[in-house]
Amino acid sequence: MQTKHRKSKNNEKLHGIPLNCGYKRWVEVLSSGNHISGSVDNLPLEEQEFLKQQGIKSILIIPVFVGTQWYGFIGFDDCEGDTKWSPQDVQMLWTSAQMIGSYLLRKQSERLLNTQAAAIQSASDMIVITNPEGIVEFANPAFEEVMGYSIEELKGESFKMLRSDKYTRYSFNRIWKTLIK
């Protein structure tokens, strides 16, 4: 069965709905992980006016979470009739909301990793990362400069290769024990 609906697609008035003005219930419902659906006529009066001005007769609103933080929402609306949203409609929109939330979380994580990588690269202190066996996986430019080894020379080698006359056996062993903790 195919239905025709006049959609309010790309209606700028529906972007950035002021949730603090008459939509407090939406904040409570959506931020607690629930959805809103049904006929606009059955919504509280303070919610109906704005939606009816847009010609919307029924809605399906699903929250978007980024991790555990409520971020916003996505939705379907029907401007032709009072749609009874099927379980498949609801599930499809939930899946879309989860995909959007996952994408946004990944982008946040990428930004954080890029910021941390830039900080490590530009740190004036020496930083070396080893695996639990003490095999070098990374060294920052400050480490390379002070120790005189490039990351290409160090990567895959035991940190023990750096032992030199600069360090007493005791201080090197302290460093080594710290690394393999």
Side-chain angles (χ1 to χ4, degrees), residues 92-118:
M92 180 185 65
L93 203 54
W94 271 109
T95 300
S96 299
Q98 290 167 342
M99 290 172 66
I100 291 167
S102 294
Y103 170 80
L104 294 170
L105 182 60
R106 190 185 84 219
K107 295 308 273 182
Q108 281 181 357
S109 298
E110 286 174 1
R111 281 192 298 276
L112 178 60
L113 285 172
N114 290 336
T115 300
Q116 291 171 339

PDB file of all heavy atoms in Angstrom, residues 92-118:
ATOM      1  N   MET A  92      12.140   2.415  12.086  1.00  0.00           N
ATOM      2  CA  MET A  92      13.019   3.005  11.084  1.00  0.00           C
ATOM      3  C   MET A  92      13.559   4.357  11.570  1.00  0.00           C
ATOM      4  O   MET A  92      14.747   4.647  11.428  1.00  0.00           O
ATOM      5  CB  MET A  92      12.281   3.201   9.756  1.00  0.00           C
ATOM      6  CG  MET A  92      13.170   3.810   8.683  1.00  0.00           C
ATOM      7  SD  MET A  92      12.312   4.175   7.160  1.00  0.00           S
ATOM      8  CE  MET A  92      11.176   5.424   7.693  1.00  0.00           C
ATOM      9  N   LEU A  93      12.706   5.156  12.171  1.00  0.00           N
ATOM     10  CA  LEU A  93      13.158   6.462  12.653  1.00  0.00           C
ATOM     11  C   LEU A  93      14.078   6.321  13.867  1.00  0.00           C
ATOM     12  O   LEU A  93      15.056   7.060  14.003  1.00  0.00           O
ATOM     13  CB  LEU A  93      11.958   7.363  12.951  1.00  0.00           C
ATOM     14  CG  LEU A  93      12.243   8.857  12.936  1.00  0.00           C
ATOM     15  CD1 LEU A  93      12.892   9.307  11.632  1.00  0.00           C
ATOM     16  CD2 LEU A  93      10.976   9.649  13.183  1.00  0.00           C
ATOM     17  N   TRP A  94      13.791   5.337  14.754  1.00  0.00           N
ATOM     18  CA  TRP A  94      14.701   5.063  15.875  1.00  0.00           C
ATOM     19  C   TRP A  94      16.074   4.668  15.346  1.00  0.00           C
ATOM     20  O   TRP A  94      17.104   5.137  15.841  1.00  0.00           O
ATOM     21  CB  TRP A  94      14.163   3.948  16.773  1.00  0.00           C
ATOM     22  CG  TRP A  94      13.277   4.425  17.887  1.00  0.00           C
ATOM     23  CD1 TRP A  94      11.929   4.259  17.981  1.00  0.00           C
ATOM     24  CD2 TRP A  94      13.665   5.137  19.064  1.00  0.00           C
ATOM     25  NE1 TRP A  94      11.457   4.832  19.135  1.00  0.00           N
ATOM     26  CE2 TRP A  94      12.509   5.370  19.825  1.00  0.00           C
ATOM     27  CE3 TRP A  94      14.883   5.602  19.548  1.00  0.00           C
ATOM     28  CZ2 TRP A  94      12.528   6.050  21.043  1.00  0.00           C
ATOM     29  CZ3 TRP A  94      14.913   6.275  20.762  1.00  0.00           C
ATOM     30  CH2 TRP A  94      13.743   6.492  21.499  1.00  0.00           C
ATOM     31  N   THR A  95      16.102   3.813  14.352  1.00  0.00           N
ATOM     32  CA  THR A  95      17.380   3.373  13.771  1.00  0.00           C
ATOM     33  C   THR A  95      18.120   4.564  13.175  1.00  0.00           C
ATOM     34  O   THR A  95      19.338   4.710  13.362  1.00  0.00           O
ATOM     35  CB  THR A  95      17.144   2.281  12.714  1.00  0.00           C
ATOM     36  OG1 THR A  95      16.493   1.164  13.344  1.00  0.00           O
ATOM     37  CG2 THR A  95      18.439   1.822  12.081  1.00  0.00           C
ATOM     38  N   SER A  96      17.402   5.422  12.479  1.00  0.00           N
ATOM     39  CA  SER A  96      18.018   6.625  11.902  1.00  0.00           C
ATOM     40  C   SER A  96      18.581   7.525  12.995  1.00  0.00           C
ATOM     41  O   SER A  96      19.700   8.043  12.871  1.00  0.00           O
ATOM     42  CB  SER A  96      17.002   7.398  11.067  1.00  0.00           C
ATOM     43  OG  SER A  96      16.545   6.608  10.003  1.00  0.00           O
ATOM     44  N   ALA A  97      17.833   7.702  14.071  1.00  0.00           N
ATOM     45  CA  ALA A  97      18.290   8.538  15.183  1.00  0.00           C
ATOM     46  C   ALA A  97      19.547   7.952  15.811  1.00  0.00           C
ATOM     47  O   ALA A  97      20.492   8.684  16.149  1.00  0.00           O
ATOM     48  CB  ALA A  97      17.180   8.687  16.231  1.00  0.00           C
ATOM     49  N   GLN A  98      19.583   6.634  15.960  1.00  0.00           N
ATOM     50  CA  GLN A  98      20.765   5.984  16.529  1.00  0.00           C
ATOM     51  C   GLN A  98      21.969   6.139  15.604  1.00  0.00           C
ATOM     52  O   GLN A  98      23.090   6.361  16.074  1.00  0.00           O
ATOM     53  CB  GLN A  98      20.479   4.511  16.804  1.00  0.00           C
ATOM     54  CG  GLN A  98      19.518   4.314  17.959  1.00  0.00           C
ATOM     55  CD  GLN A  98      18.984   2.891  18.051  1.00  0.00           C
ATOM     56  OE1 GLN A  98      19.047   2.122  17.103  1.00  0.00           O
ATOM     57  NE2 GLN A  98      18.443   2.555  19.202  1.00  0.00           N
ATOM     58  N   MET A  99      21.738   6.043  14.314  1.00  0.00           N
ATOM     59  CA  MET A  99      22.840   6.219  13.355  1.00  0.00           C
ATOM     60  C   MET A  99      23.380   7.648  13.412  1.00  0.00           C
ATOM     61  O   MET A  99      24.600   7.860  13.382  1.00  0.00           O
ATOM     62  CB  MET A  99      22.373   5.863  11.942  1.00  0.00           C
ATOM     63  CG  MET A  99      22.116   4.379  11.759  1.00  0.00           C
ATOM     64  SD  MET A  99      21.347   3.972  10.178  1.00  0.00           S
ATOM     65  CE  MET A  99      22.646   4.425   9.055  1.00  0.00           C
ATOM     66  N   ILE A 100      22.498   8.612  13.494  1.00  0.00           N
ATOM     67  CA  ILE A 100      22.917  10.012  13.596  1.00  0.00           C
ATOM     68  C   ILE A 100      23.704  10.223  14.887  1.00  0.00           C
ATOM     69  O   ILE A 100      24.774  10.837  14.890  1.00  0.00           O
ATOM     70  CB  ILE A 100      21.700  10.960  13.517  1.00  0.00           C
ATOM     71  CG1 ILE A 100      21.111  10.930  12.108  1.00  0.00           C
ATOM     72  CG2 ILE A 100      22.089  12.385  13.924  1.00  0.00           C
ATOM     73  CD1 ILE A 100      19.744  11.576  11.993  1.00  0.00           C
ATOM     74  N   GLY A 101      23.193   9.692  15.998  1.00  0.00           N
ATOM     75  CA  GLY A 101      23.888   9.812  17.279  1.00  0.00           C
ATOM     76  C   GLY A 101      25.260   9.164  17.248  1.00  0.00           C
ATOM     77  O   GLY A 101      26.239   9.722  17.760  1.00  0.00           O
ATOM     78  N   SER A 102      25.357   7.998  16.625  1.00  0.00           N
ATOM     79  CA  SER A 102      26.651   7.310  16.510  1.00  0.00           C
ATOM     80  C   SER A 102      27.621   8.114  15.667  1.00  0.00           C
ATOM     81  O   SER A 102      28.807   8.233  15.995  1.00  0.00           O
ATOM     82  CB  SER A 102      26.464   5.920  15.903  1.00  0.00           C
ATOM     83  OG  SER A 102      25.738   5.099  16.772  1.00  0.00           O
ATOM     84  N   TYR A 103      27.133   8.667  14.584  1.00  0.00           N
ATOM     85  CA  TYR A 103      27.975   9.503  13.717  1.00  0.00           C
ATOM     86  C   TYR A 103      28.505  10.717  14.492  1.00  0.00           C
ATOM     87  O   TYR A 103      29.687  11.035  14.448  1.00  0.00           O
ATOM     88  CB  TYR A 103      27.182   9.954  12.490  1.00  0.00           C
ATOM     89  CG  TYR A 103      27.902  11.002  11.679  1.00  0.00           C
ATOM     90  CD1 TYR A 103      28.909  10.649  10.791  1.00  0.00           C
ATOM     91  CD2 TYR A 103      27.594  12.356  11.823  1.00  0.00           C
ATOM     92  CE1 TYR A 103      29.588  11.609  10.056  1.00  0.00           C
ATOM     93  CE2 TYR A 103      28.273  13.318  11.096  1.00  0.00           C
ATOM     94  CZ  TYR A 103      29.262  12.945  10.215  1.00  0.00           C
ATOM     95  OH  TYR A 103      29.937  13.904   9.497  1.00  0.00           O
ATOM     96  N   LEU A 104      27.616  11.399  15.204  1.00  0.00           N
ATOM     97  CA  LEU A 104      28.025  12.586  15.962  1.00  0.00           C
ATOM     98  C   LEU A 104      29.021  12.221  17.066  1.00  0.00           C
ATOM     99  O   LEU A 104      29.984  12.957  17.306  1.00  0.00           O
ATOM    100  CB  LEU A 104      26.799  13.291  16.548  1.00  0.00           C
ATOM    101  CG  LEU A 104      25.855  13.908  15.519  1.00  0.00           C
ATOM    102  CD1 LEU A 104      24.559  14.371  16.181  1.00  0.00           C
ATOM    103  CD2 LEU A 104      26.522  15.056  14.780  1.00  0.00           C
ATOM    104  N   LEU A 105      28.813  11.079  17.723  1.00  0.00           N
ATOM    105  CA  LEU A 105      29.741  10.629  18.751  1.00  0.00           C
ATOM    106  C   LEU A 105      31.108  10.331  18.141  1.00  0.00           C
ATOM    107  O   LEU A 105      32.143  10.689  18.707  1.00  0.00           O
ATOM    108  CB  LEU A 105      29.193   9.396  19.468  1.00  0.00           C
ATOM    109  CG  LEU A 105      30.035   8.843  20.613  1.00  0.00           C
ATOM    110  CD1 LEU A 105      30.213   9.888  21.712  1.00  0.00           C
ATOM    111  CD2 LEU A 105      29.402   7.582  21.164  1.00  0.00           C
ATOM    112  N   ARG A 106      31.105   9.677  16.980  1.00  0.00           N
ATOM    113  CA  ARG A 106      32.374   9.377  16.307  1.00  0.00           C
ATOM    114  C   ARG A 106      33.105  10.668  15.941  1.00  0.00           C
ATOM    115  O   ARG A 106      34.312  10.793  16.124  1.00  0.00           O
ATOM    116  CB  ARG A 106      32.148   8.522  15.064  1.00  0.00           C
ATOM    117  CG  ARG A 106      33.470   8.002  14.488  1.00  0.00           C
ATOM    118  CD  ARG A 106      33.323   7.261  13.201  1.00  0.00           C
ATOM    119  NE  ARG A 106      33.308   8.278  12.159  1.00  0.00           N
ATOM    120  CZ  ARG A 106      32.553   8.252  11.095  1.00  0.00           C
ATOM    121  NH1 ARG A 106      31.743   7.260  10.887  1.00  0.00           N
ATOM    122  NH2 ARG A 106      32.597   9.215  10.210  1.00  0.00           N
ATOM    123  N   LYS A 107      32.372  11.661  15.436  1.00  0.00           N
ATOM    124  CA  LYS A 107      32.995  12.943  15.085  1.00  0.00           C
ATOM    125  C   LYS A 107      33.564  13.629  16.330  1.00  0.00           C
ATOM    126  O   LYS A 107      34.653  14.196  16.275  1.00  0.00           O
ATOM    127  CB  LYS A 107      32.005  13.866  14.362  1.00  0.00           C
ATOM    128  CG  LYS A 107      31.547  13.361  13.011  1.00  0.00           C
ATOM    129  CD  LYS A 107      32.675  12.995  12.085  1.00  0.00           C
ATOM    130  CE  LYS A 107      33.182  14.131  11.291  1.00  0.00           C
ATOM    131  NZ  LYS A 107      34.262  13.761  10.353  1.00  0.00           N
ATOM    132  N   GLN A 108      32.849  13.582  17.441  1.00  0.00           N
ATOM    133  CA  GLN A 108      33.362  14.155  18.693  1.00  0.00           C
ATOM    134  C   GLN A 108      34.644  13.446  19.111  1.00  0.00           C
ATOM    135  O   GLN A 108      35.620  14.084  19.511  1.00  0.00           O
ATOM    136  CB  GLN A 108      32.335  14.022  19.822  1.00  0.00           C
ATOM    137  CG  GLN A 108      31.238  15.015  19.810  1.00  0.00           C
ATOM    138  CD  GLN A 108      30.278  14.811  20.980  1.00  0.00           C
ATOM    139  OE1 GLN A 108      30.407  13.888  21.786  1.00  0.00           O
ATOM    140  NE2 GLN A 108      29.284  15.692  21.068  1.00  0.00           N
ATOM    141  N   SER A 109      34.634  12.121  19.023  1.00  0.00           N
ATOM    142  CA  SER A 109      35.809  11.328  19.400  1.00  0.00           C
ATOM    143  C   SER A 109      36.994  11.643  18.503  1.00  0.00           C
ATOM    144  O   SER A 109      38.128  11.764  18.976  1.00  0.00           O
ATOM    145  CB  SER A 109      35.491   9.835  19.341  1.00  0.00           C
ATOM    146  OG  SER A 109      34.480   9.510  20.257  1.00  0.00           O
ATOM    147  N   GLU A 110      36.733  11.790  17.206  1.00  0.00           N
ATOM    148  CA  GLU A 110      37.808  12.131  16.272  1.00  0.00           C
ATOM    149  C   GLU A 110      38.409  13.491  16.600  1.00  0.00           C
ATOM    150  O   GLU A 110      39.634  13.649  16.587  1.00  0.00           O
ATOM    151  CB  GLU A 110      37.288  12.135  14.828  1.00  0.00           C
ATOM    152  CG  GLU A 110      37.033  10.762  14.259  1.00  0.00           C
ATOM    153  CD  GLU A 110      36.376  10.795  12.891  1.00  0.00           C
ATOM    154  OE1 GLU A 110      36.124  11.895  12.332  1.00  0.00           O
ATOM    155  OE2 GLU A 110      36.091   9.703  12.367  1.00  0.00           O
ATOM    156  N   ARG A 111      37.557  14.471  16.905  1.00  0.00           N
ATOM    157  CA  ARG A 111      38.066  15.803  17.272  1.00  0.00           C
ATOM    158  C   ARG A 111      38.927  15.730  18.533  1.00  0.00           C
ATOM    159  O   ARG A 111      39.996  16.342  18.602  1.00  0.00           O
ATOM    160  CB  ARG A 111      36.911  16.793  17.465  1.00  0.00           C
ATOM    161  CG  ARG A 111      36.341  17.332  16.168  1.00  0.00           C
ATOM    162  CD  ARG A 111      35.415  18.516  16.392  1.00  0.00           C
ATOM    163  NE  ARG A 111      34.250  18.208  17.195  1.00  0.00           N
ATOM    164  CZ  ARG A 111      33.128  17.678  16.730  1.00  0.00           C
ATOM    165  NH1 ARG A 111      33.005  17.383  15.462  1.00  0.00           N
ATOM    166  NH2 ARG A 111      32.115  17.443  17.539  1.00  0.00           N
ATOM    167  N   LEU A 112      38.474  14.968  19.522  1.00  0.00           N
ATOM    168  CA  LEU A 112      39.234  14.822  20.760  1.00  0.00           C
ATOM    169  C   LEU A 112      40.576  14.137  20.497  1.00  0.00           C
ATOM    170  O   LEU A 112      41.624  14.583  20.981  1.00  0.00           O
ATOM    171  CB  LEU A 112      38.429  14.029  21.792  1.00  0.00           C
ATOM    172  CG  LEU A 112      39.126  13.757  23.121  1.00  0.00           C
ATOM    173  CD1 LEU A 112      39.493  15.056  23.823  1.00  0.00           C
ATOM    174  CD2 LEU A 112      38.234  12.897  24.008  1.00  0.00           C
ATOM    175  N   LEU A 113      40.547  13.066  19.709  1.00  0.00           N
ATOM    176  CA  LEU A 113      41.800  12.369  19.385  1.00  0.00           C
ATOM    177  C   LEU A 113      42.761  13.276  18.625  1.00  0.00           C
ATOM    178  O   LEU A 113      43.973  13.269  18.893  1.00  0.00           O
ATOM    179  CB  LEU A 113      41.513  11.105  18.575  1.00  0.00           C
ATOM    180  CG  LEU A 113      40.956   9.927  19.357  1.00  0.00           C
ATOM    181  CD1 LEU A 113      40.532   8.812  18.404  1.00  0.00           C
ATOM    182  CD2 LEU A 113      41.960   9.414  20.364  1.00  0.00           C
ATOM    183  N   ASN A 114      42.251  14.050  17.695  1.00  0.00           N
ATOM    184  CA  ASN A 114      43.103  14.975  16.943  1.00  0.00           C
ATOM    185  C   ASN A 114      43.714  16.038  17.852  1.00  0.00           C
ATOM    186  O   ASN A 114      44.886  16.384  17.719  1.00  0.00           O
ATOM    187  CB  ASN A 114      42.333  15.629  15.796  1.00  0.00           C
ATOM    188  CG  ASN A 114      42.019  14.653  14.686  1.00  0.00           C
ATOM    189  OD1 ASN A 114      42.700  13.648  14.512  1.00  0.00           O
ATOM    190  ND2 ASN A 114      40.985  14.941  13.926  1.00  0.00           N
ATOM    191  N   THR A 115      42.921  16.527  18.791  1.00  0.00           N
ATOM    192  CA  THR A 115      43.422  17.516  19.746  1.00  0.00           C
ATOM    193  C   THR A 115      44.509  16.905  20.630  1.00  0.00           C
ATOM    194  O   THR A 115      45.565  17.514  20.850  1.00  0.00           O
ATOM    195  CB  THR A 115      42.275  18.053  20.622  1.00  0.00           C
ATOM    196  OG1 THR A 115      41.311  18.667  19.770  1.00  0.00           O
ATOM    197  CG2 THR A 115      42.760  19.055  21.661  1.00  0.00           C
ATOM    198  N   GLN A 116      44.266  15.697  21.117  1.00  0.00           N
ATOM    199  CA  GLN A 116      45.250  15.024  21.961  1.00  0.00           C
ATOM    200  C   GLN A 116      46.524  14.706  21.176  1.00  0.00           C
ATOM    201  O   GLN A 116      47.629  14.877  21.696  1.00  0.00           O
ATOM    202  CB  GLN A 116      44.660  13.745  22.553  1.00  0.00           C
ATOM    203  CG  GLN A 116      43.585  14.021  23.573  1.00  0.00           C
ATOM    204  CD  GLN A 116      42.850  12.775  24.008  1.00  0.00           C
ATOM    205  OE1 GLN A 116      42.844  11.757  23.325  1.00  0.00           O
ATOM    206  NE2 GLN A 116      42.198  12.852  25.158  1.00  0.00           N
ATOM    207  N   ALA A 117      46.369  14.257  19.941  1.00  0.00           N
ATOM    208  CA  ALA A 117      47.538  13.943  19.114  1.00  0.00           C
ATOM    209  C   ALA A 117      48.375  15.198  18.878  1.00  0.00           C
ATOM    210  O   ALA A 117      49.608  15.147  18.958  1.00  0.00           O
ATOM    211  CB  ALA A 117      47.100  13.329  17.787  1.00  0.00           C
ATOM    212  N   ALA A 118      47.721  16.318  18.611  1.00  0.00           N
ATOM    213  CA  ALA A 118      48.448  17.570  18.400  1.00  0.00           C
ATOM    214  C   ALA A 118      49.176  17.989  19.669  1.00  0.00           C
ATOM    215  O   ALA A 118      50.325  18.457  19.609  1.00  0.00           O
ATOM    216  CB  ALA A 118      47.485  18.672  17.946  1.00  0.00           C
TER     217      ALA A 118
END
